[in-house]
Amino acid sequence: MKDAATQALAPVQVLWMDDEPHTIENYQKLLRKDKKIEIKIVDSIEKAVKELKTGIYEAFVADCKMDIHDPSENGAEFLSKLNERRKPFPTFVYSAWTDDPIYKSHLDHWYALIIESKPA
């Protein structure tokens, strides 16, 4: 087990779920330079579920529309279920679809700390 000083200096581990991971890679590179945040990017809900079970993450960022061809791949719905199970776990949204009623209904009733729209 790490002591408090070592743990305080360790980068914050963030899991970021986006179906277009290349759009997030620049953020990942910028934040990695600072050495205070380490981002792992996954491109599906299925991979996010696996990582959240096996990895140790201190925050989660979600995209809403996880598959352009399959509306059942709803990242906002997944986030709401995650928030329900793990209320104290910090979650965020970064998506071009935050105002779409399909996703907004999930976002309006849960605990994402910041909901930020990205360019469509």
Side-chain angles (χ1 to χ4, degrees):
M1 187 167 162
K2 295 179 181 177
D3 64 37
T6 304
Q7 203 167 8
L9 295 174
V12 173
Q13 299 297 314
V14 176
L15 181 62
W16 195 318
M17 178 183 76
D18 196 301
D19 64 318
E20 297 177 321
H22 62 278
T23 64
I24 307 307
E25 289 170 356
N26 285 335
Y27 298 124
Q28 183 185 39
K29 289 174 189 170
L30 286 170
L31 293 169
R32 188 178 295 147
K33 286 181 185 179
D34 194 12
K35 295 187 174 53
K36 293 182 181 170
I37 297 177
E38 186 67 36
I39 298 173
K40 165 104 181 183
I41 302 171
V42 292
D43 62 1
S44 71
I45 292 172
E46 181 181 332
K47 290 177 184 174
V49 168
K50 182 180 177 188
E51 281 296 324
L52 288 167
K53 284 181 182 176
T54 61
I56 299 173
Y57 295 98
E58 296 155 299
F60 180 71
V61 181
D63 186 10
C64 292
K65 191 171 193 171
M66 287 302 298
D67 186 328
I68 195 162
H69 304 293
D70 184 0
S72 71
E73 290 293 307
N74 185 328
E77 182 178 17
F78 172 74
L79 182 65
S80 69
K81 290 175 183 176
L82 177 64
N83 284 161
E84 188 174 321
R85 286 191 315 273
R86 297 173 65 178
K87 286 184 174 83
F89 185 59
T91 59
F92 305 85
V93 176
Y94 186 65
S95 178
W97 302 94
T98 57
D99 291 328
D100 186 306
I102 293 171
Y103 308 108
K104 190 165 177 39
S105 64
H106 294 286
L107 299 177
D108 286 346
H109 300 289
W110 294 101
Y111 309 107
L113 295 173
I114 297 173
I115 298 173
E116 185 68 37
S117 291
K118 67 179 175 181

